[in-house]
Amino acid sequence: MTTENVPAVAGVERFYDVADLILTTIWGRNWHVGYWDSSDSEASNADAVQRLNDVLAATLRVGPGNRVLDVGCGIGEPALRLAEVTGAEVVGVTIAEQQVVEGNRRAAELGLADRATFQLGDGLNLPFQDGAFDAAWEIESGIHMDRARMIAEMARVVRPGGRVLVADLAMPEGPARETPEERRAMLESMALVQVPTVDDYHKMIADAGLRLVELSDITPHTRKTNERMAEAARQHYDVLVAERGRDAGDILDMMMTSIDVRYVVVVADRPMAS
């Protein structure tokens, strides 16, 4: 595992200055992969991304009275869905102030402001005391961070017996279909860190003092994301470039030429003190 080329916070913020509009336009308010029940499913993109939220919410196993942290919450849609379907209190953190504003606006609009709140926070230095949450999750926000430090911080703020869930990318088992140069270009253009292997995730969980509960490869359910996102990027390309310039074009170009990755869901818990 390597932490080289980890983008600076400012670089990630600059990326989302442009990417916020692009993602919302071509993919909706959930900025993560979709989950299709089968390879021949014709579920819409919106239904598929919401389906992933629901699958992860069920895996997290929280309910009324529980307090959950969403690390790298974006504009907050997964956190809002989690609060809605489980009754848990959810706190989302992001480094982008406009995302905080939008998340809290949306929570009020949905009548969830009493259970879902959003604030500024760095996933590598969370502004919470040890054991402040019953559970924590991250959904693809690790693509911009030193994942080992992020998982260690998640472990710190979860109480003993609490659950940590990581839904994120992993390297393919065999040789990747793209060249190292193509992979590097994708990482740099999208402000991404290096993609870990499954073995790396095992080590990060252990090093954080967590106990691995389950590591699932759900790539067959998420594979349609690349083709659907590329199709949507082509559809909106000219309008978005006209509005946001060449930076938007660079991001859209990469969305149409994705790298070969797996998608894993890592579930761990913080052991009870002996």
Side-chain angles (χ1 to χ4, degrees), residues 92-174:
V93 294
T94 171
I95 59 171
E97 186 170 0
Q98 187 53 44
Q99 293 177 359
V100 171
V101 172
E102 177 60 15
N104 284 318
R105 183 200 68 78
R106 180 73 166 154
E109 178 181 83
L110 295 175
L112 292 170
D114 61 329
R115 295 207 309 275
T117 57
F118 302 90
Q119 65 182 73
L120 288 172
D122 184 348
L124 303 183
N125 186 23
L126 291 168
F128 305 107
Q129 295 182 344
D130 295 2
F133 294 90
D134 298 294
W137 76 4
E138 72 92 2
I139 306 177
E140 297 172 41
S141 61
I143 62 178
H144 301 299
M145 289 185 259
D146 178 339
R147 287 180 178 86
R149 285 180 59 192
M150 176 194 69
I151 291 171
E153 274 292 275
M154 293 171 74
R156 178 184 67 79
V157 301
V158 168
R159 63 167 175 77
R163 180 162 282 204
V164 169
L165 184 151
V166 171
D168 212 326
L169 308 182
M171 288 290 288
E173 287 187 304

Side-chain angles (χ1 to χ4, degrees), residues 2-239:
T2 178
T3 59
E4 64 178 290
N5 299 325
V6 175
V9 167
V12 177
E13 287 183 290
R14 284 195 299 273
F15 170 75
Y16 280 104
D17 284 344
V18 178
D20 278 18
L21 175 65
I22 292 174
L23 288 165
T24 304
T25 301
I26 74 170
W27 202 241
R29 297 183 59 87
N30 283 290
W31 298 349
H32 55 65
V33 302
Y35 185 105
W36 286 266
D37 289 328
S38 64
S39 59
D40 58 355
S41 170
E42 294 301 321
S44 69
N45 299 339
D47 287 345
V49 292
Q50 198 70 284
R51 173 64 174 155
L52 181 70
N53 289 336
D54 291 345
V55 168
L56 298 180
T59 304
L60 197 59
R61 297 182 184 176
V62 294
N66 290 143
R67 189 169 187 241
V68 183
L69 177 66
D70 182 346
V71 178
C73 60
I75 57 174
E77 209 67 17
L80 292 167
R81 182 66 170 183
L82 181 63
E84 178 187 16
V85 301
T86 68
E89 175 193 351
V90 186
V91 178
V93 294
T94 171
I95 59 171
E97 186 170 0
Q98 187 53 44
Q99 293 177 359
V100 171
V101 172
E102 177 60 15
N104 284 318
R105 183 200 68 78
R106 180 73 166 154
E109 178 181 83
L110 295 175
L112 292 170
D114 61 329
R115 295 207 309 275
T117 57
F118 302 90
Q119 65 182 73
L120 288 172
D122 184 348
L124 303 183
N125 186 23
L126 291 168
F128 305 107
Q129 295 182 344
D130 295 2
F133 294 90
D134 298 294
W137 76 4
E138 72 92 2
I139 306 177
E140 297 172 41
S141 61
I143 62 178
H144 301 299
M145 289 185 259
D146 178 339
R147 287 180 178 86
R149 285 180 59 192
M150 176 194 69
I151 291 171
E153 274 292 275
M154 293 171 74
R156 178 184 67 79
V157 301
V158 168
R159 63 167 175 77
R163 180 162 282 204
V164 169
L165 184 151
V166 171
D168 212 326
L169 308 182
M171 288 290 288
E173 287 187 304
R177 63 172 179 261
E178 72 279 343
T179 66
E181 293 73 22
E182 290 170 332
R183 179 176 290 269
R184 190 175 306 113
M186 164 66 90
L187 296 176
E188 291 176 357
S189 68
M190 304 288 279
L192 307 180
V193 300
Q194 297 290 338
V195 179
T197 66
V198 167
D199 286 344
D200 289 334
Y201 280 109
H202 280 274
K203 185 175 188 305
M204 288 186 281
I205 291 297
D207 288 349
L210 295 170
R211 181 183 70 88
L212 183 66
V213 174
E214 181 181 11
L215 194 157
S216 303
D217 184 337
I218 64 169
T219 308
H221 295 286
T222 65
R223 195 166 278 134
K224 284 180 181 287
T225 298
N226 289 345
E227 63 187 72
R228 295 284 187 91
M229 188 170 282
E231 178 184 349
R234 284 190 290 270
Q235 179 182 346
H236 296 280
Y237 191 97
D238 291 341
V239 170

